Amino acid sequence: MLFSDIILETSIALLANKVRSGLTMLGIVIGIGSVIAMIAVGQGAQKSVEDRIQSIGSNLLMIRPGFARSPGQTVSQGQGSSTSLTLEDAQAIESDVSFLSAVAPSVSGNYQVVSGGSNTRTSVTGTLPSYVTVRNIELESGSFFTDAHDTRRSKVAVIGPDVRDELFPDETDVAGKKIRINGIDFTVLGLTVSKGSSGMDSADDVVYVPLSTAAQYLTGSDALSMISVTVSDQSIMDQASADITELLLARHDIVDEDSADFRIMNQSDIVETASSVTETFTLLLGAVAGISLLVGGIGIMNMMLTTVTERTREIGLRKAIGAKRRDISRQFLSESVALTFLGGVVGVVLGWGAAALLTRFGGVATSVSGISVVLAFGVSAVIGIIFGYYPARRAARLNPIEALRYE
Amino acid sequence: MIECRNISKIYCNGDNETAALSGATFSVRDGEFVAIMGPSGSGKSTLMNILGLLDLPTGGTYLLDGKDVSHLSEDELANVRIQKIGFVFQSFNLLPRTSVLRNVTLPLVYGGVPRSDRQAKAEDALRAVEFPEERWEHLSNQLSGGQMQRVAIARALVNNPSLVFADEPTGNLDTKTGVLVMKAFRRLNREKGHTIILITHEAEIARYADRIITIRDGEIVSDMPNREVRND
Ligand SMILES: Nc1ncnc2c1ncn2[C@@H]1O[C@H](COP(=O)(O)OP(=O)(O)O)[C@@H](O)[C@H]1O
Ligand SMILES: [Mg+2]
């Protein structure tokens, strides 16, 4: 029996009962479609989390003031409230710790920002030009401030796209514009490229000003909210982190590491935690969708068993005129594989479409990977073989005489 | 060439055993036209199934062209059937929703005949049973009973078998159509030399054959040449 003969027999058999074939296929369509869509949602979430974390800067260590505790003091003042990190600490890190590519001290707070009639409350970060390197900041237009601006305590600012939208909704070139932060006039130097935002900590809804300007006019203190450090290579992150800890403990006269007044967060730890969460999420979604695929597979088996019973006489006749077991089992197997394969194709298209619609109208990030499509085809064909195997075997083993006598 | 020695068949269905055939001994030479006649339930179909290699006897020896076939596997039997045997059934057993040509071609498909040779062979077989050419592409379920049986005969002939078995081929046809079908068998036997074994419970139909074997309760009760072959 040639392959083309099997195709012909299969299409005749499936077209003979279009409604039943269609409904059975629908089970697989829904199964494969939901697998594709669900995995797309899961992977989209994973990708956006990773992208966002990467956009903050890779190989990044973030040093924050921790619980400042003097001996005997048990009540913590809360994170970030201490004045433990200073510009001198940042300079010491830069000069004494090796294999760092950039160090950026920063201070941030929320202030009212006004321009003309519009105003918005936003996060203002005072920092140095090295922040651009550390946090991968790109400029849409204009330029970032320089060390000279910091030395002179110039009242200049770089704004994020969200702030631009609030204050200068219809303008692309914001350089030279005036804004008032906390009642003080600043000149806008540039606009940053959007990094896409989700959650509370947006990199778009922000205003950057020189560190010393912020210390003098906004915070009125030398305390830092953070020192961001880029390590030159991923592999020495732990080493760099240990060196910084040692240096800062010595500088702050703290002996016991457990009572340190700062905390170091490692970028790769954050990435790992975030992706393990989204991986579990993807897996869970995939498993739910997989169950509907299984139900679809059982539908196929059910239909094939019915078909074998209905066509018992036909099987008997085929055997009488020379069909071998192999010919019969191939015929029925190819019917179930054809159903699942076609169902798989339609399911992939629908799942893909559903993912696109979710992104377009639901604002859910999705990502359909080539692997999940290939996997869906493979899985649907395998389901056809697994759930078609038993009915096909049953057909192949029918005794020709019994089959011909069957009413 | 068929040779049966003391063939018996016992069906076991759980506890009760049915002896459908007991000790049938006879032989059929190539080119003969034999009718096996007997009342319903006498074991005719059982005998045909064994002779046609659809089933194996529970006792005795069956030699087909000098070869003992009682120990062949299911697939080996299928191979012998493809090469040597054609079947015509009472209920036609055509594939529904399938064209006449495709139905006739089916044994060639299982026989591994290349696609290019199939068409010509199927057309030859349909011409041999005088099936009108304008209906070759019709679906089998659009035909009348007599037409279906002709297609079934063409299908039995398509791989040019030496042996053709027909189990009550006129059972579902009216008398006039039945006569036409029997004449077709006659001509195939006379002109193409096919050995034909015809199974029937009607004496009128058996009279088309050259030799009549009568069977009753699984035993052969008479085996004699037909002296008055119908020639109408
Ligand atoms: N598959 C079977 N299982 C059990 N008994 C059977 C089977 N086939 C036939 N028989 C029995 O064997 C006997 C002969 O049947 P059969 O060969 O079909 O007779 P005929 O074709 O002459 O009508 C009958 O009694 C029938 O009931
Ligand atoms: Mg019978």
Side-chain angles (χ1 to χ4, degrees):
Chain A
M1 204 170 183
L2 304 173
F3 186 65
S4 56
D5 290 315
I6 294 180
I7 301 278
L8 183 68
E9 297 282 349
T10 302
S11 54
I12 290 175
L14 293 183
L15 290 175
N17 207 327
K18 295 191 195 70
V19 175
R20 186 161 71 188
S21 306
L23 287 176
T24 312
M25 219 164 77
L26 193 61
I28 295 296
V29 169
I30 291 170
I32 291 287
S34 50
V35 165
I36 292 280
M38 291 294 130
I39 290 186
V41 168
Q43 289 191 329
Q46 196 158 341
K47 203 164 163 303
S48 70
V49 165
E50 279 165 12
D51 282 355
R52 237 180 88 63
I53 292 169
Q54 285 312 319
S55 80
I56 298 169
S58 50
N59 299 359
L60 183 66
L61 294 176
M62 288 179 285
I63 306 146
R64 286 198 163 125
F67 307 110
R69 260 180 243 152
S70 42
Q73 186 184 355
T74 48
V75 180
S76 138
Q77 291 172 299
Q79 183 195 336
S81 66
S82 100
T83 55
S84 57
L85 287 180
T86 60
L87 184 59
E88 287 69 40
D89 286 332
Q91 285 161 345
I93 290 171
E94 188 159 20
S95 56
D96 293 358
V97 179
S98 40
F99 304 116
L100 301 183
S101 40
V103 176
S106 61
V107 57
S108 18
N110 285 317
Y111 297 95
Q112 201 70 23
V113 181
V114 187
S115 168
S118 343
N119 77 84
T120 175
R121 193 169 173 81
T122 185
S123 160
V124 177
T125 298
T127 187
L128 296 179
S130 55
Y131 199 77
V132 172
T133 328
V134 175
R135 293 301 182 100
N136 292 339
I137 291 169
E138 289 171 67
L139 288 188
E140 177 86 44
S141 65
S143 58
F144 211 79
F145 48 78
T146 61
D147 284 322
H149 285 117
D150 184 64
T151 317
R152 283 186 265 119
R153 301 195 169 153
S154 310
K155 287 176 269 183
V156 292
V158 173
I159 62 175
D162 287 0
V163 176
R164 190 272 315 266
D165 292 347
E166 290 289 334
L167 302 183
F168 315 106
D170 302 316
E171 301 185 48
T172 44
D173 190 16
V174 293
K177 299 268 179 212
K178 298 285 184 209
I179 56 174
R180 284 171 76 82
I181 304 173
N182 209 21
I184 297 153
D185 282 319
F186 280 75
T187 306
V188 176
L189 288 182
L191 171 68
T192 65
V193 170
S194 172
K195 289 191 170 192
S197 60
S198 65
M200 348 164 237
D201 184 27
S202 170
D204 291 348
D205 188 14
V206 71
V207 175
Y208 301 105
V209 299
L211 183 63
S212 52
T213 313
Q216 173 149 358
Y217 299 106
L218 300 176
T219 63
S221 99
D222 285 338
L224 297 178
S225 341
M226 193 190 294
I227 302 173
S228 309
V229 173
T230 319
V231 182
S232 59
D233 196 278
Q234 181 94 43
S235 62
I236 50 167
M237 295 284 277
D238 289 341
Q239 184 58 47
S241 178
D243 290 351
I244 292 168
T245 307
E246 197 183 333
L247 175 73
L248 289 181
L249 287 176
R251 284 180 57 82
H252 296 184
D253 289 328
I254 298 168
V255 186
D256 182 7
E257 201 181 321
D258 289 336
S259 53
D261 56 356
F262 59 89
R263 294 191 310 143
I264 302 184
M265 287 199 292
N266 187 331
Q267 179 73 359
S268 54
D269 293 345
I270 300 171
V271 173
E272 258 169 42
T273 314
S275 30
S276 81
V277 168
T278 49
E279 259 165 37
T280 313
F281 178 61
T282 306
L283 213 67
L284 201 72
L285 288 177
V288 169
I291 289 169
S292 71
L293 191 56
L294 188 72
V295 172
I298 293 170
I300 295 267
M301 176 131 88
N302 191 22
M303 161 174 167
M304 291 312 296
L305 285 174
T306 313
T307 307
V308 169
T309 309
E310 279 177 358
R311 284 155 68 188
T312 300
R313 276 182 80 92
E314 178 196 319
I315 295 164
L317 169 85
R318 287 178 187 274
K319 287 198 149 190
I321 62 176
K324 293 176 212 39
R325 282 187 176 188
R326 178 166 32 96
D327 298 319
I328 301 292
S329 63
R330 267 188 204 167
Q331 185 187 338
F332 283 90
L333 211 51
S334 83
E335 280 177 31
S336 65
V337 171
L339 280 177
T340 55
F341 190 76
L342 290 177
V345 172
V346 178
V348 165
V349 172
L350 285 187
W352 206 319
L357 287 180
L358 273 176
T359 306
R360 183 128 169 62
F361 297 110
V364 180
T366 58
S367 155
V368 178
S369 64
I371 296 170
S372 72
V373 171
V374 171
L375 211 69
F377 279 126
V379 165
S380 62
V382 167
I383 281 185
I385 292 170
I386 290 175
F387 289 97
Y389 177 78
Y390 173 65
R393 200 176 96 122
R394 207 152 120 165
R397 294 197 162 196
L398 281 176
N399 175 308
I401 307 157
E402 301 278 326
L404 279 169
R405 282 166 58 96
Y406 183 84
E407 292 302 329
Chain B
M1 172 81 174
I2 284 176
E3 220 181 326
C4 292
R5 292 188 202 132
N6 212 16
I7 283 199
S8 61
K9 177 76 186 179
I10 298 169
Y11 290 110
C12 293
N13 276 344
D15 288 342
N16 54 336
E17 299 187 343
T18 316
L21 273 182
S22 30
T25 300
F26 66 98
S27 54
V28 177
R29 279 172 286 108
D30 288 342
E32 272 195 282
F33 189 171
V34 184
I36 295 177
M37 205 176 77
S40 181
S42 55
K44 307 182 296 292
S45 295
T46 302
L47 181 58
M48 185 199 83
N49 289 341
I50 291 171
L51 297 181
L53 300 184
L54 289 171
D55 203 357
L56 294 172
T58 43
T61 323
Y62 172 28
L63 303 177
L64 177 61
D65 292 334
K67 241 184 72 187
D68 190 350
V69 291
S70 20
H71 301 293
L72 297 184
S73 72
E74 195 187 307
D75 282 354
E76 286 168 332
L77 290 175
N79 271 331
V80 180
R81 285 202 298 274
I82 288 174
Q83 287 159 20
K84 301 188 174 175
I85 298 171
F87 289 99
V88 178
F89 301 95
Q90 176 175 357
S91 49
F92 323 131
N93 282 334
L94 298 182
L95 295 187
R97 298 173 299 272
T98 305
S99 76
V100 165
L101 260 176
R102 179 73 188 169
N103 262 290
V104 175
T105 313
L106 207 58
L108 304 175
V109 169
Y110 291 120
V113 174
R115 202 158 263 267
S116 50
D117 300 351
R118 292 179 192 168
Q119 183 77 7
K121 290 190 181 210
E123 287 177 4
D124 284 350
L126 281 167
R127 282 198 195 94
V129 296
E130 294 174 333
F131 189 84
E133 190 162 343
E134 65 270 16
R135 294 183 198 273
W136 286 1
E137 288 301 335
H138 283 206
L139 299 186
S140 62
N141 37 327
Q142 297 167 339
L143 304 176
S144 71
Q147 288 166 337
M148 286 198 210
Q149 199 57 302
R150 269 164 198 274
V151 174
I153 297 170
R155 182 181 63 192
L157 296 174
V158 74
N159 50 358
N160 203 22
S162 49
L163 261 173
V164 177
F165 291 94
D167 192 352
E168 312 258 12
T170 59
N172 283 0
L173 301 176
D174 60 72
T175 321
K176 223 174 102 206
T177 327
V179 166
L180 290 175
V181 164
M182 288 317 299
K183 281 181 167 175
F185 277 120
R186 269 230 70 89
R187 211 181 47 253
L188 290 169
N189 172 254
R190 293 280 140 87
E191 292 171 12
K192 313 251 171 170
H194 295 286
T195 308
I196 294 178
I197 297 181
L198 169 80
I199 283 164
T200 183
H201 64 274
E202 292 175 73
E204 280 304 294
I205 297 296
R207 279 179 53 214
Y208 284 91
D210 297 323
R211 173 182 164 195
I212 301 176
I213 297 176
T214 313
I215 178 170
R216 189 158 292 141
D217 293 333
E219 283 177 61
I220 293 177
V221 291
S222 87
D223 179 355
M224 55 183 67
N226 180 12
R227 278 178 226 294
E228 35 194 303
V229 177
R230 258 173 86 166
N231 268 326
D232 52 332

